[in-house]
Amino acid sequence: QQQVKQSPQSLIVQKGGISIINCAYENTAFDYFPWYQQFPGKGPALLIAIRPDVSEKKEGRFTISFNKSAKQFSLHIMDSQPGDSATYFCAASDGITGGGNKLTFGTGTQLKVEL
Amino acid sequence: DVKVTQSSRYLVKRTGEKVFLECVQDMDHENMFWYRQDPGLGLRLIYFSYDVKMKEKGDIPEGYSVSREKKERFSLILESASTNQTSMYLCASSTRDYLQETQYFGPGTRLLVL
């Protein structure tokens, strides 16, 4: 049972373009939605996160858009650079499981930014 | 800086062997997690722990067990390794603070079971 569905599985974007990765969830108890970035040979690292009390959060070139009614959220990378080439995972948490913050991850998107 | 270390980057084991994967964090985090990462399947939670000597099953616990005798150390045990356990294993830790939900990951252990 996949509670967080992520698409596309892979994405190729030209340098300077916009990269968009989408996620959809089913569990309405989810209240924390982070994105993790993973470079080859490294563990994932938190990139940006949002809570459902806002519809958008921006940090530099990275923006999360959140649509609570549609149960969808997306990551936008503006002015994509070759250094952004990595695997991106969306995730969600309901924050009420035991000690909190058990994350459910999407299946990942492999982004390649070409020159 | 938070640091999560895993005992091995690469391991090769034989079918039926008992395998221990060790994880240590240096930030006094209460929560620790073990995931496996497979292409097209993302990160799937195997086990997690909210406190010393405490453990809870994740989404795919079959064939695995864990041990947390000290707060900083969380071990994943494959009782009898099988070829379908060939994977990348990732350890993570986080605080219990509801508003500080970041999970910090180790670099991973790539396990090959022959």
Side-chain angles (χ1 to χ4, degrees), chain A residues 26-89:
Chain A
E26 298 171 0
N27 186 349
T28 55
F30 286 151
D31 66 351
Y32 174 70
F33 302 90
W35 286 87
Y36 280 76
Q37 180 188 53
Q38 184 181 30
F39 293 105
K42 304 286 188 183
L46 179 68
L47 180 64
I48 187 172
I50 196 169
R51 295 192 186 276
D53 52 342
V54 295
S55 60
E56 186 175 283
K57 183 173 182 181
K58 185 175 181 179
E59 290 185 1
R61 296 184 293 108
F62 300 91
T63 301
I64 300 179
S65 297
F66 183 79
N67 186 330
K68 189 174 182 178
S69 61
K71 293 186 286 185
Q72 295 175 347
F73 58 110
S74 59
L75 176 69
H76 292 64
I77 306 174
M78 311 301 288
D79 187 26
S80 299
Q81 299 295 313
D84 297 330
S85 298
T87 301
Y88 293 81
F89 294 96

Side-chain angles (χ1 to χ4, degrees), chain B residues 10-89:
Chain B
Y10 302 94
L11 272 180
V12 180
K13 297 292 181 180
R14 297 280 181 191
T15 301
E17 279 192 80
K18 190 169 186 176
V19 182
F20 293 86
L21 302 182
E22 303 283 336
C23 176
V24 177
Q25 51 94 3
D26 67 357
M27 281 301 292
D28 200 37
H29 284 168
E30 295 86 1
N31 302 328
M32 295 190 75
F33 307 83
W34 274 107
Y35 296 89
R36 65 177 282 177
Q37 181 177 4
D38 300 287
L41 297 178
L43 279 68
R44 293 180 292 166
L45 183 64
I46 304 171
Y47 268 96
F48 58 104
S49 170
Y50 293 131
D51 204 345
V52 176
K53 297 190 184 293
M54 180 276 175
K55 61 185 178 184
E56 289 199 23
K57 293 179 180 179
D59 300 318
I60 52 165
E62 297 79 17
Y64 304 95
S65 62
V66 291
S67 173
R68 192 164 181 202
E69 296 296 319
K70 294 184 177 182
K71 190 175 185 181
E72 68 271 18
R73 187 179 298 269
F74 192 34
S75 302
L76 180 69
I77 304 156
L78 286 65
E79 296 291 342
S80 177
S82 64
T83 55
N84 63 13
Q85 293 178 310
T86 291
S87 186
M88 170 69 84
Y89 290 87

